[in-house]
Amino acid sequence: MRETDYAYAVARIRANENALLTRADIDQLIAADSYDTAVRILTDKGWAQPEGEQGFDICENEMSKTVKLISECVPDASLFDALVIANDFANLKAAIKAEFSAIDAGDYMTAPYLCDPAIIIKAVKESDFSLLPDYLAECAEAAYHTYSDSQSGQLIEVIIDKACNRTKTQWAVRAESPLLEKIFEMACAVSDIKTARRCVTTGKSREFALDAVSFSGRVDCEKLVDAAYAGEKLASVISDAGLEELAEYADGDFTALEMRCDNLITEMAGTNRHEIFGADPVVAYYYAKVAEVKNVRIVLSAKAASVPKEIISERVRDTYV
Amino acid sequence: MTMGMMLAILGGVFAAVFGCVGSAIGVGRVGKAAAGVVTEDPSKFGKVLILQILPGTQGLYGFLIAFLLMVQVGLMGDAPLQLTTAQGLMYFAACLPMAAGGLVSALHQANAAVAGVSIVAKRPEESGKAIIFAAMVETYAVLSLLISILAIFNITGKIAG
């Protein structure tokens, strides 16, 4: 795929960037005196009217619009696939857990997806994993049998998350987007840091931790696990992987680490603000929208719970514009 | 037909083909970007159309050089010149500035115009600046055209003299 093939997609993205919420817009939302006022501000900015009492539909609707826009304009489906592949793994997790909890998995499926959730549910129900695409089949079978033997939700999380991280990294390369590769590497690093530290705090063995980390990003997972079990700082391992911006948060609390990761992704996306060709501007817009929707969710849920404005301000992520 | 005439014709073909290929790629590239903007906001059609047209001039210049060459060597009339190989090579060389300059400038002008389309998408009130940025590249297509025209006329003058 040539970079210039993205000229149409990038132009559509640029035209849509004007509608992204700025930091001033987010501040206006935070300053709103009630949940309803915040929703009204959003509808004035072009967001759809919420349906019923739960204004959170407004976020889902906005994300669906973004996904629809990207699926319409990208010349190469592999980029869209790489962006949404994680939802298939989330749906697989939900289907396995729902199967063993005897609840309807259909209520827990996430869109957009590549593999029809009905197929995932059927494959899990019938234990026929050949129905699934290759990227799901192997981990689905492993997770299913592990869960039926151990009833451990944590274990299937580990198996599926690891497969998800590997697949995302491979698909990012296939999508020819250096930005997406960097974002996934960052996300993998954060996931591995959290996994290693959780394994230590929950008393899991070192072998379990080594099996749980992804081994698919830039971080040397063996060193990371060793450092976590030796009680050493993880920052140096993260720095060695070239993720200095993340290193100082590696040993702090998870919320700060996740927020730092989100802000770094927005910062990386921002470097593509003036690119005219290639897949990266599309990826940048997608993540700008993800950050925007996350901010709106934070503000709306805080408004619904009457959280003070100062605390909301601390929680919101950086904006793309 | 002499070898000289064949070389002269080849020069004209180069000027027309490379100019037109550059323009076709360029106009197509800007057209894709323009379509993206118009999909979101059809009112910007006029502004992006100007940007799309800009890389199209090189094809026109190439055509002009090829036409001029055919007139000068008598291909449009009843009595074509009996050109020597050296004279044919001179005509061929005279066409090269337009061929190379046309192709390269059309592609780069298209990139500048696509960037201009992004300006129109985000700040339509600045579309004039977007057009100027892309039009600056035109300078080099015009210089290529001029040097090819001057060379063709001077070669004809020398041969006639």
Side-chain angles (χ1 to χ4, degrees):
Chain A
M1 180 67 47
R2 283 170 309 178
E3 289 218 316
T4 49
D5 290 337
Y6 278 91
Y8 172 78
V10 175
R12 275 191 80 175
I13 291 301
R14 295 289 176 237
N16 276 281
E17 276 180 1
N18 280 345
L20 285 172
L21 298 180
T22 61
R23 180 68 213 197
D25 294 327
I26 298 292
D27 287 342
Q28 197 188 351
L29 279 181
I30 295 169
D33 51 16
S34 68
Y35 175 89
D36 289 337
T37 314
V39 170
R40 207 172 313 122
I41 292 169
L42 286 170
T43 51
D44 288 346
K45 302 268 176 209
W47 288 46
Q49 286 279 359
E51 292 164 15
E53 285 292 303
Q54 284 298 319
F56 288 99
D57 286 350
I58 205 171
C59 295
E60 275 179 30
N61 182 73
E62 199 60 22
M63 214 52 227
S64 305
K65 270 166 51 185
T66 305
V67 167
K68 186 167 175 279
L69 168 71
I70 292 174
S71 67
E72 273 176 12
C73 68
V74 289
D76 179 10
S78 64
L79 179 68
F80 178 77
D81 294 351
L83 287 173
V84 302
I85 184 66
N87 289 344
D88 282 9
F89 288 92
N91 291 343
L92 175 64
K93 250 187 244 179
I96 294 175
K97 286 182 180 172
E99 173 64 14
F100 287 101
S101 313
I103 54 173
D104 182 12
D107 299 336
Y108 300 95
M109 294 294 123
T110 310
Y113 43 76
L114 300 179
C115 179
D116 187 347
I119 294 174
I120 296 180
I121 294 169
K122 190 176 177 216
V124 172
K125 268 191 194 310
E126 297 173 4
S127 303
D128 181 3
F129 301 103
S130 62
L131 295 172
L132 297 174
D134 290 345
Y135 63 88
L136 279 181
E138 196 183 329
C139 77
E141 192 166 2
Y144 182 88
H145 292 305
T146 306
Y147 197 74
S148 63
D149 294 343
S150 66
Q151 296 294 307
S152 165
Q154 201 184 17
L155 274 177
I156 70 157
E157 293 268 345
V158 163
I159 293 167
I160 296 177
D161 285 348
K162 189 173 175 173
C164 179
N165 282 339
R166 280 194 178 163
T167 310
K168 280 194 322 187
T169 311
Q170 286 164 3
W171 287 29
V173 174
R174 206 171 68 184
E176 296 177 21
S177 167
L179 176 63
L180 194 59
E181 284 179 52
K182 277 193 219 161
I183 288 173
F184 285 167
E185 275 175 358
M186 178 98 67
C188 269
V190 170
S191 163
D192 288 339
I193 292 167
K194 282 160 61 181
T195 304
R197 285 177 53 193
R198 274 188 188 137
C199 285
V200 172
T201 51
T202 55
K204 294 273 190 285
S205 68
R206 181 181 170 277
E207 287 65 37
F208 178 90
L210 275 174
D211 203 35
V213 288
S214 69
F215 281 101
S216 49
R218 269 193 283 170
V219 176
D220 184 335
C221 288
E222 212 167 322
K223 271 190 188 170
L224 185 78
V225 170
D226 286 344
Y229 276 80
E232 292 167 6
K233 297 274 181 201
L234 304 185
S236 62
V237 183
I238 301 301
S239 288
D240 290 347
L243 299 166
E244 290 85 0
E245 311 94 329
L246 205 61
E248 61 175 301
Y249 294 82
D251 299 288
D253 68 276
F254 286 162
T255 313
L257 176 66
E258 281 166 5
M259 192 165 162
R260 178 63 178 159
C261 178
D262 288 343
N263 288 342
L264 280 173
I265 289 172
T266 305
E267 200 180 306
M268 285 193 287
T271 59
N272 287 277
R273 212 174 280 138
H274 305 297
E275 292 293 325
I276 52 170
F277 297 122
D280 283 355
V282 181
V283 174
Y285 178 76
Y286 177 79
Y287 280 95
K289 207 65 197 177
V290 167
E292 179 184 279
V293 168
K294 196 177 269 183
N295 277 341
V296 170
R297 267 188 212 286
I298 290 168
V299 175
L300 290 184
S301 33
K303 287 287 163 196
S306 304
V307 175
K309 289 167 190 170
E310 298 72 32
I311 295 177
I312 310 175
S313 293
E314 285 169 13
R315 298 275 160 86
V316 293
R317 270 60 172 161
D318 291 346
T319 54
Y320 179 75
V321 285
Chain B
M1 187 178 287
T2 62
M3 176 60 82
M5 180 59 89
M6 282 180 69
L7 284 168
I9 291 170
L10 192 63
V13 167
F14 268 39
V17 167
F18 285 111
C20 288
V21 166
S23 285
I25 295 172
V27 171
R29 193 176 286 176
V30 187
K32 279 196 274 188
V37 172
V38 173
T39 306
E40 297 298 327
D41 184 359
S43 70
K44 288 175 181 153
F45 172 73
K47 286 174 177 161
V48 293
L49 182 66
I50 297 169
L51 286 162
Q52 193 193 2
I53 290 166
L54 285 174
T57 51
Q58 285 82 349
L60 198 69
Y61 298 161
F63 165 78
L64 181 68
I65 290 297
F67 182 78
L68 196 66
L69 182 95
M70 287 194 293
V71 171
Q72 293 296 308
V73 299
L75 269 181
M76 304 292 277
D78 295 332
L81 299 179
Q82 293 301 307
L83 296 175
T84 63
T85 303
Q87 288 167 340
L89 264 176
M90 283 197 285
Y91 277 117
F92 178 79
C95 293
L96 287 184
M98 191 63 249
L103 176 68
V104 175
S105 69
L107 297 178
H108 286 281
Q109 192 170 40
N111 290 349
V114 171
V117 169
S118 292
I119 296 179
V120 173
K122 296 187 86 168
R123 295 173 182 271
E125 71 279 6
E126 304 290 356
S127 63
K129 289 172 186 163
I131 293 165
I132 291 169
F133 290 141
M136 291 300 286
V137 188
E138 190 73 13
T139 312
Y140 304 97
V142 172
L143 291 179
S144 302
L145 172 72
L146 287 178
I147 201 70
S148 286
I149 289 175
L150 287 172
I152 288 169
F153 277 127
N154 278 293
I155 291 164
T156 309
K158 297 287 178 206
I159 291 170

